[in-house]
Amino acid sequence: MQGGMERTTGEKMVLNFGPQHPATHGTLRIVLELDGESVVKATPHCGYLHTGFEKLGEHLDYNQYIVVTDRMNYLSPLSNNFGYVLAVEQLLGIEVPERCQYIRVLMAELSRLADHLLWLGTAALDLGAFSVFLYSFREREKLYSIFEKTTGARLTTSYTRVGGVFRDLYDGFENDARDFITNFPKALKETHTLLTRNRIWMDRTKGVGAISSDDAINYGLTGPCLRATGVAHDLRKAEPYSSYEKFDFDVPVGTNGDSYDRYLVRMEEMIQSCRIIRQALDNLPDGPFSLEDNKVMMPDKSDAYGHIEGLIHHFKIVMDGHGVQPPKGEDYCATESPNGELGFYIVSDGSGTGYRIRIRPPSFFHFQALPHMLEGGMVSDTVAVLGSLNVIAGELDR
Amino acid sequence: MGLDFGSSTEQTDGNIITTTIDKVVNWGRKNSLWPMPFGTACCAIEMMATLASKFDLSRFGSEAIRFSPRQSDLLIVSGRISIKMMPVLKRIYDQMPEPKWVISMGACASCGGVFDTYTLIQGVDQFLPVDVYIPGCPPRPEDLIDAVMQVQRQITKGELPKGSEVAYNE
Amino acid sequence: MNEEKEVTEEEQPLVLQKLQDKFGDALLASTEIRQGVAVVVNKENSYALLEYLKTDLAYSYLVDVTAVDNSKLESELMQYDYARFMVVYHLYTYEGETSRIRVKVPVHEKDLKIPSVIELWKGANWLERETYDMFGIEFEGHPDLRRILMPDDFEGHPLRKDYPLRGRGERESFNFEKQNV
């Protein structure tokens, strides 16, 4: 660079960013055209993690597919499980018992915390704040242990079933969860002291990657990225599902739609999730934890191994041509996943496998809008903007 | 450590050890494996957990994550590899200096896992020489630590990575 | 709920009435769905209908564009003159009661073209590219219609029903050299 402040040279340079780069969180790729240090044109490429989820949906039955949804947004698998079974249940026209709805809300909010925590850790890591990464993983490990005790797995949970969840909450769940939400705001405060008024953090994120609310809607942005622009749209409020209308929580919004606002919105959402979890624990209803309709829901394992009726039910549900068979038709069902609107559009031909399963991932739209936020900015902002969007390659490419 | 303590006299008082160059080199190499994390999907999250607070891979000398293949000697393939990604992975492997070890982390990298679809490579060992496979979907952080220790054991024994055997045989 | 009942004149939503008044015969079918309506429109009027929804009825947010290969769904094939593909748009409005609307457009295999809506919603860009990649439907007026998820030199359209799940051998024997990496 010549002349100190001179940023542009008139000569263009092409920089290939990714698909293997620490800040791309997996497999994203952006081709940047640079003039000096400013970005003239950014072309995102995707598909490096294309796995054929939608095709697989046409070959697996409805309960088998839950396993596949785990691996879509791997930061918060429980939200995916939840969104998917909700779509199938709506196609079937069934509603699960209230306790089950509460359990699902609990798990969805816990996984929202886990998702935002990992986002926080990696976004801060990308901008050089390594301690935040360690702090957020410390909290995430506590969540992992709750997930593991509930579902049997740290990451790939497959907790929900069509018609319920596969087992009830464990005995000490309430204690563990209360313990977590009591201590979590304190831990979050540590991050606030490290980042929120930190001069470097503010310089790197304030005004960086800003998008107006009109543009955000036009690009199809949802979730925290949309709310950071000032649109108070949350599907949990707009189209309440699974008893969300019974919870009292706020929808945080930003004003500028820049990386800093996205950070603040996500931080506040974590506090609101804690509120929802506390209410759900206080009012957790008794009763069955899943539908007791044996045509849809798998019988309990002890039942399947111990009684002939249970065994027959189990057999009928797992066999081809039996089990979960929604009537002919189609449905689109959207839930508010940590990243935004996660939609499942399922077309059923009346058989045990979906005819077409379309997943509407939030990250796809966020990554698409990236050039809009990058162009005209500096090359070093690329990392800050990409980090603030939380693009998950698994759901981006499916 | 695999070092031979030579016979000490009274003057040196046990401060001299004799060994072979190979053993010293391998000893150093084993305790400073620099991984190149090729994390694409779910396994990458568990790999991050392995590096972070609770599991802390640095206890095994492997915390110096290098995203530049030219500075690393252990490739951790963690996650699904699609046909669009495989050439990138191959190029990264080729750029790593010898000797280089490869860990295939998780079911997807090792055999395709649950994704038996048109776009997914059914096991990276079709294209890369893999030294250690980790089962699991995704494997727990302890499993990854175990795999790193397996590589360390191989190095201690003085075994060459599978990649160099392939190279010498050809 | 899933039950899609036939809409009678009195109780149908305002949006549907407006669409019926404006497009009449071009609407091939219409039903009520959860939180909204679903319409099927012929290809000639699809752009006009979507434009009307965007500009006059404030459906400012394009949720999704995708397609369904109906070649193994006999009932749908019969209903829409053996059109193999059905392009599906999901729209959302932040105002009004009928928040969601699903627009379906039948597309025949011999004429795999449909107007692009990228002028109306910028978000349609990648969605249309993906639909092209997966089904081979061409969006007329799209500035940059190329593959998005599959490699550039890939042949075929994976989400078509005649494409096998395990592929046509591309995952075992692909060409390293051709890739643009």
Side-chain angles (χ1 to χ4, degrees):
Chain A
M1 233 168 57
Q2 290 174 341
M5 295 300 285
E6 191 69 36
R7 287 223 306 257
T8 55
T9 58
E11 251 176 68
K12 289 219 181 76
M13 190 184 103
V14 178
L15 180 72
N16 186 30
F17 186 79
Q20 177 58 35
H21 184 278
T24 59
H25 298 241
T27 59
L28 317 174
R29 179 180 174 210
I30 311 162
V31 177
L32 297 166
E33 261 179 51
L34 307 174
D35 184 0
E37 283 221 35
S38 52
V39 178
V40 180
K41 191 167 184 283
T43 319
H45 291 258
C46 64
Y48 287 94
L49 196 58
H50 179 54
T51 318
F53 278 33
E54 293 178 7
K55 187 84 179 172
L56 210 53
E58 298 166 12
H59 293 81
L60 297 179
D61 75 32
Y62 286 100
N63 269 319
Q64 285 174 326
Y65 196 65
I66 295 168
V67 176
V68 175
T69 60
D70 279 344
R71 286 142 181 92
M72 206 164 58
N73 178 352
Y74 30 74
L75 303 191
S76 52
L78 283 157
S79 301
N80 303 341
N81 296 164
F82 183 21
Y84 168 69
V85 291
L86 213 59
V88 179
E89 280 161 12
Q90 260 154 16
L91 202 56
L92 280 160
I94 54 175
E95 192 157 313
V96 294
E98 204 180 8
R99 183 178 172 82
C100 175
Q101 295 186 2
Y102 270 65
I103 293 176
R104 286 178 178 180
V105 166
L106 271 171
M107 291 330 244
E109 293 306 318
L110 283 172
S111 70
R112 188 183 312 275
L113 290 175
D115 190 300
H116 284 358
L117 274 173
L118 198 133
W119 163 81
L120 178 65
T122 49
L125 180 67
D126 290 346
L127 294 185
F130 192 73
S131 13
V132 178
F133 174 70
L134 296 177
Y135 284 0
S136 63
F137 253 96
R138 183 191 61 201
E139 297 304 312
R140 219 176 124 91
E141 286 293 342
K142 292 178 194 161
L143 284 171
Y144 272 146
S145 85
I146 294 179
F147 290 157
E148 197 172 9
K149 283 185 194 166
T150 320
T151 70
R154 282 160 61 87
L155 206 68
T156 41
T157 49
S158 302
Y159 184 49
T160 55
R161 293 288 181 277
V162 177
V165 292
F166 86 92
R167 68 175 179 215
D168 207 350
L169 298 171
Y170 64 96
D171 281 340
F173 177 83
E174 193 177 335
N175 270 342
D176 285 359
R178 275 194 202 280
D179 209 35
F180 181 79
I181 54 171
T182 323
N183 292 318
F184 178 68
K186 292 177 208 156
L188 208 58
K189 217 169 172 190
E190 285 179 347
T191 309
H192 267 302
T193 37
L194 272 177
L195 293 181
T196 309
R197 306 299 299 167
N198 181 329
R199 178 48 51 199
I200 303 172
W201 179 258
M202 285 169 80
D203 282 351
R204 293 290 312 263
T205 55
K206 258 200 153 164
V208 169
I211 187 166
S212 71
S213 57
D214 284 347
D215 279 338
I217 290 172
N218 207 285
Y219 270 111
L221 261 56
T222 47
C225 297
L226 177 67
R227 290 193 282 275
T229 66
V231 183
H233 178 67
D234 190 319
L235 288 175
R236 291 174 293 174
K237 291 267 191 202
E239 303 174 350
Y241 51 90
S242 189
S243 298
Y244 263 116
E245 69 278 2
K246 292 178 191 152
F247 294 95
D248 176 31
F249 63 99
D250 299 325
V251 179
V253 289
T255 42
N256 304 321
D258 55 5
S259 300
Y260 188 67
D261 279 12
R262 288 193 275 271
Y263 156 75
L264 288 180
V265 165
R266 280 202 173 90
M267 293 294 269
E268 184 53 32
E269 267 183 28
M270 286 197 257
I271 298 293
Q272 297 301 328
S273 287
C274 286
R275 271 179 76 187
I276 298 175
I277 293 166
R278 181 165 287 123
Q279 290 167 42
L281 288 172
D282 288 343
N283 307 321
L284 190 63
D286 288 330
F289 62 88
S290 52
L291 213 62
E292 282 166 332
D293 175 5
N294 284 319
K295 286 205 175 62
V296 173
M297 184 64 197
M298 292 226 193
D300 196 52
K301 273 278 179 280
S302 61
D303 220 26
Y305 288 129
H307 302 282
I308 187 70
E309 294 88 356
L311 185 66
I312 292 169
H313 284 148
H314 182 88
F315 185 75
K316 283 205 104 172
I317 282 172
V318 297
M319 283 305 286
D320 244 7
H322 299 273
V324 188
Q325 285 175 320
K328 263 187 193 181
E330 55 189 11
D331 201 353
Y332 176 82
C333 173
T335 54
E336 184 76 26
S337 84
N339 259 343
E341 176 171 344
L342 175 70
F344 285 90
Y345 172 59
I346 303 180
V347 181
S348 162
D349 58 353
S351 72
T353 57
Y355 183 77
R356 165 102 172 91
I357 293 184
R358 158 75 184 167
I359 303 151
R360 187 263 180 218
S363 290
F364 197 70
F365 297 81
H366 298 167
F367 199 43
Q368 179 174 203
L370 190 68
H372 182 88
M373 303 182 201
L374 287 184
E375 280 164 15
M378 308 278 281
V379 63
S380 57
D381 294 342
T382 311
V383 175
V385 177
L386 195 58
S388 74
L389 289 178
N390 195 21
V391 179
I392 309 298
E395 72 176 8
L396 169 76
D397 297 340
R398 281 151 291 132
Chain B
M1 282 195 290
L3 302 174
D4 295 329
F5 288 86
S7 57
S8 59
T9 61
E10 274 179 27
Q11 286 92 347
T12 55
D13 203 18
N15 286 333
I16 293 179
I17 47 172
T18 58
T19 180
T20 57
I21 282 285
D22 273 1
K23 276 185 180 164
V24 171
V25 168
N26 283 341
W27 174 66
R29 186 175 273 157
K30 133 186 173 203
N31 290 305
S32 63
L33 278 172
W34 283 14
M36 157 83 211
F38 197 85
T40 55
C42 335
C43 290
I45 307 297
E46 285 297 66
M47 186 166 61
M48 276 154 78
T50 317
L51 293 163
S53 338
K54 190 174 174 187
F55 294 95
D56 197 9
L57 194 59
S58 61
R59 293 178 293 155
F60 303 89
S62 298
E63 87 284 11
I65 291 287
R66 284 294 171 272
F67 282 95
S68 162
R70 289 169 218 275
Q71 298 170 354
S72 36
D73 44 14
L74 173 66
L75 177 66
I76 305 178
V77 184
S78 52
R80 320 187 274 267
I81 304 296
S82 70
I83 54 174
K84 203 169 175 181
M85 198 59 172
M86 193 59 219
V88 183
L89 175 59
K90 178 77 176 159
R91 176 169 294 196
I92 281 180
Y93 176 77
D94 289 344
Q95 284 177 346
M96 285 169 62
E98 293 271 357
K100 49 192 170 187
W101 285 265
V102 180
I103 291 178
S104 162
M105 179 180 181
C108 295
S110 305
C111 67
V114 291
F115 301 107
D116 192 3
T117 57
Y118 52 93
T119 168
L120 220 66
I121 301 291
Q122 302 293 302
V124 290
D125 53 358
Q126 297 171 58
F127 303 99
L128 300 179
V130 176
D131 291 281
V132 180
Y133 299 86
I134 317 178
C137 190
R140 295 180 58 90
E142 291 94 328
D143 295 331
L144 179 57
I145 293 174
D146 182 47
V148 171
M149 288 168 72
Q150 293 265 12
V151 173
Q152 290 182 335
R153 248 170 260 146
Q154 283 184 15
I155 297 172
T156 317
K157 278 191 219 155
E159 286 172 14
L160 284 169
K162 213 172 163 194
S164 15
E165 282 164 31
V166 173
Y168 293 140
N169 288 340
E170 274 168 2
Chain C
M1 289 291 106
N2 157 53
E3 293 136 34
E4 298 182 357
K5 50 180 189 275
E6 278 301 314
V7 184
T8 53
E9 280 294 322
E10 312 85 72
E11 61 181 47
Q12 67 182 13
L14 194 65
V15 174
L16 201 52
Q17 264 177 30
K18 281 186 183 165
L19 287 179
Q20 270 165 356
D21 290 348
K22 195 162 163 67
F23 293 96
D25 288 346
L27 285 191
L28 305 176
S30 59
T31 44
E32 256 185 278
I33 54 172
R34 234 166 7 94
Q35 287 146 344
V37 292
V39 294
V40 183
V41 66
N42 65 16
K43 203 168 77 177
E44 289 70 33
N45 288 294
S46 72
Y47 187 83
L49 184 125
L50 289 164
E51 192 178 22
Y52 176 67
L53 284 171
K54 162 91 199 295
T55 48
D56 295 345
L57 300 181
Y59 282 86
S60 52
Y61 162 32
L62 176 72
V63 180
D64 198 12
V65 178
T66 187
V68 181
D69 180 358
N70 279 335
S71 58
K72 289 197 175 147
L73 206 61
E74 199 61 35
S75 58
E76 286 281 306
L77 279 180
M78 301 251 289
Q79 200 174 345
Y80 300 110
D81 191 25
Y82 288 91
R84 179 173 173 186
F85 295 101
M86 189 71 95
V87 178
V88 186
Y89 300 85
H90 285 96
L91 309 180
Y92 186 88
T93 180
Y94 292 95
E95 304 149 25
E97 274 189 7
T98 319
S99 58
R100 292 192 183 270
I101 188 160
R102 180 188 303 146
V103 180
K104 302 206 291 180
V105 187
V107 177
H108 283 268
E109 199 179 4
K110 54 183 184 291
D111 185 23
L112 278 176
K113 286 195 176 101
I114 184 166
S116 164
V117 293
I118 195 167
E119 291 291 314
L120 304 174
W121 295 279
K122 287 177 196 156
N125 186 341
W126 280 19
L127 291 167
E128 288 179 351
R129 272 177 72 188
E130 192 190 339
T131 312
Y132 163 73
D133 193 355
M134 292 291 141
F135 292 94
I137 295 165
E138 284 178 34
F139 290 84
E140 283 175 312
H142 191 291
D144 186 24
L145 198 65
R146 58 198 162 86
R147 286 188 183 277
I148 181 164
L149 294 180
M150 301 308 292
D152 292 339
D153 58 352
F154 187 78
E155 280 165 25
H157 301 284
L159 277 183
R160 288 188 178 186
K161 285 283 171 187
D162 54 6
Y163 200 88
L165 173 68
R166 292 185 177 81
R168 293 175 174 150
E170 62 271 30
R171 68 184 185 190
E172 285 89 20
S173 58
F174 58 92
N175 194 340
F176 271 122
E177 312 308 320
K178 269 191 193 169
Q179 303 291 323
N180 52 346
V181 285

